[in-house]
Amino acid sequence: MGAGGNGRLTRSLGLRHVFALSTGAMFSAGLFLLPGLAAAKAGPAAVLAYLIAGLLAVPAMLSVSELATALPKAGGAYYFVERALGPAAGTIAGFGTWLSLVLKDAFALVGMSAYLVLVVDVPGRTLALVLIAAFTLINVVGSKTTASIQLLLVVFVLAMMGWFLVDGLWETQSRGFDGSNLDPFFTSGTSGVVAVVGLVFVSYGGLTNVASAAEEIDDPSRRIPLGMTLSLVVGTLVYTLGVLVAVAVVPAEVLHEDLAPIHTAAVAIMPPFGAWLIVIAALAAFASALNAGILAAAGLVALDTMVDRLAEDHQNARRLAAGLANIDGLSVDADSIQTNIVIFDVDEKVAKVPDFMKTLAEAEVLVSYPGEHSVRMVTHRHISGDDVEEALSRTSKVVRELQG
């Protein structure tokens, strides 16, 4: 993760990097490992399950892109929750995000081993440790280096999957519905499809990882939502069509027991050289997912320091409450402040709360509106003691101006 001279992360990632990070984080076990397991539960209708899961990922994509655009800081979910609910809740959310990334990377390594045995007999545990160390080292060198490598991996995977889809869809069209393995389509009814949607939804989980690197993205308000949208569209198409080809050309009794279904389908429809390239593409996809997970986990920088400095936020909150209590027209129980949240009442003689908040905003003091006569202020890791004093000074000035 690169840093500028002022200690802040540098904004060095462009749209292509956002697309590569989101797409690379999606393409791994969901495409190269799960189709056989999904087809075993839902039959050919597993194709619909992937499509529905992609549509269900849209609200998550819109929510995260909106948050990452408004708050383009490293940390992703940690930072969003920390700003809304305070450092304690943010630390829990950040740790949960980090743990999910660790488990997702472990899942990618499991899938990678299923394809590696097609190439060479390598001890899985040793290989996993080597890969983790290598990608961690790359991330230490810098996020732009990491994202550039990610871009190369994603371009290669998409190129190989493009070849696979062209040959596979042509073969499926040549066989027709009756001549392929698509009939019957709903072998387990709608209940099977619904169950598989939950199974394959994890395939889209990497889409939002890029939010953890938002502080390193140039022009985040444009590139984050656009990059995530392009990634979801491409990912949904590749997932749906890729599973369609696998289900259509691989016999069900083989597919349902296969942990490398895309390779098996490639052997049926592509020349030997192409099938081997699909194996390499699968390994590249698993590597890119692992790389994206490590990069996103690295964005959770706050976890290293937040627990030990919660007391500082709480002290600043008590200092803020004591200062607000001394401003005529505002009332707060300073002794009741136990967290980083300060809620105080505004006398109607000063102003109505919406007008008071608007005037404070013009003075660059940001507050929220928890009640009809109440205003909420929150301290966090970006608020120092000097910031508290400045906020009190500006708030006092606003109250005096409103009182006329």
Side-chain angles (χ1 to χ4, degrees):
M1 299 171 67
N6 59 358
R8 294 181 178 273
L9 297 173
T10 56
R11 296 194 180 277
S12 57
L13 306 183
L15 176 62
R16 64 186 185 279
H17 299 117
V18 176
F19 173 79
L21 290 172
S22 291
T23 306
M26 282 195 295
F27 286 165
S28 62
L31 177 61
F32 293 98
L33 177 64
L34 282 183
L37 302 177
K41 291 181 175 293
V47 176
L48 287 181
Y50 273 88
L51 178 60
I52 293 170
L55 295 177
L56 292 177
V58 172
M61 180 203 71
L62 294 176
S63 299
V64 172
S65 64
E66 177 68 20
L67 287 168
T69 297
L71 301 169
K73 295 290 185 178
Y78 162 79
Y79 188 75
F80 305 149
V81 177
E82 186 257 357
R83 290 301 302 269
L85 301 177
T91 299
I92 295 172
F95 182 78
T97 302
W98 173 83
L99 183 60
S100 70
L101 291 171
V102 170
L103 294 175
K104 188 176 188 299
D105 287 348
F107 190 31
L109 289 172
V110 170
M112 180 176 283
S113 66
Y115 278 80
L116 272 174
V117 296
L118 299 172
V119 181
V120 62
D121 184 14
V122 179
R125 181 177 300 179
T126 301
L127 178 66
L129 293 175
V130 170
L131 288 171
I132 290 173
F135 282 111
T136 300
L137 179 62
I138 292 171
N139 276 267
V140 170
V141 170
S143 62
K144 189 170 184 179
T145 301
T146 304
S148 297
I149 293 175
Q150 183 82 354
L151 182 61
L152 292 176
L153 292 173
V154 169
V155 168
F156 176 71
V157 172
L158 289 177
M160 292 304 98
M161 286 305 300
W163 183 9
F164 173 81
L165 292 177
V166 169
D167 282 4
L169 292 175
W170 179 263
E171 178 67 19
T172 302
Q173 185 271 335
S174 299
R175 295 186 181 186
F177 187 81
D178 295 332
S180 65
N181 298 302
L182 297 175
D183 187 24
F185 194 73
F186 291 96
T187 59
S188 301
T190 56
S191 61
V193 175
V194 172
V196 171
V197 168
L199 173 68
V200 302
F201 185 76
V202 68
S203 306
Y204 297 90
L207 174 68
T208 59
N209 283 4
V210 71
S212 294
E215 194 167 350
E216 301 175 79
I217 297 172
D218 186 34
D219 191 12
S221 62
R222 175 177 177 272
R223 288 173 176 168
I224 290 177
L226 182 56
M228 291 179 68
T229 301
L230 290 174
S231 179
L232 181 58
V233 170
V234 171
T236 302
L237 286 175
V238 172
Y239 272 134
T240 305
L241 296 178
V243 175
L244 174 63
V245 170
V247 169
V249 302
V250 180
E253 61 274 13
V254 175
L255 180 64
H256 296 173
E257 302 295 330
D258 198 346
L259 293 181
I262 299 300
H263 170 259
T264 302
V267 170
I269 60 175
M270 300 174 73
F273 176 68
W276 281 110
L277 284 179
I278 288 297
V279 173
I280 297 174
L283 296 176
F286 287 119
S288 69
L290 178 62
N291 184 46
I294 293 176
L295 177 61
L300 301 171
V301 292
L303 290 177
D304 292 333
T305 57
M306 285 303 102
V307 174
D308 295 333
R309 61 170 303 282
L310 289 177
E312 181 182 340
D313 290 330
H314 297 171
Q315 181 180 357
N316 282 335
R318 289 190 291 270
R319 183 177 179 180
L320 177 63
L324 291 170
N326 292 326
I327 298 177
D328 186 35
L330 306 182
S331 58
V332 58
D333 183 3
D335 295 332
S336 67
I337 303 302
Q338 301 294 327
T339 66
N340 65 321
I341 299 174
V342 178
I343 297 177
F344 59 94
D345 294 330
V346 180
D347 195 315
E348 290 185 348
K349 295 179 181 179
V350 174
K352 293 183 177 180
V353 169
D355 295 332
F356 179 69
M357 291 178 58
K358 180 180 178 180
T359 309
L360 276 181
E362 292 172 353
E364 298 184 346
V365 179
L366 301 181
V367 297
S368 59
Y369 184 23
E372 183 178 358
H373 302 292
S374 301
V375 173
R376 182 175 69 176
M377 289 184 172
V378 179
T379 59
H380 51 81
R381 67 188 177 107
H382 296 296
I383 301 296
S384 65
D386 291 339
D387 293 328
V388 170
E389 294 300 325
E390 180 63 26
L392 287 170
S393 175
R394 296 186 185 188
T395 302
S396 179
K397 182 179 179 180
V398 165
V399 171
R400 291 196 302 270
E401 290 175 351
L402 291 172
Q403 289 176 330

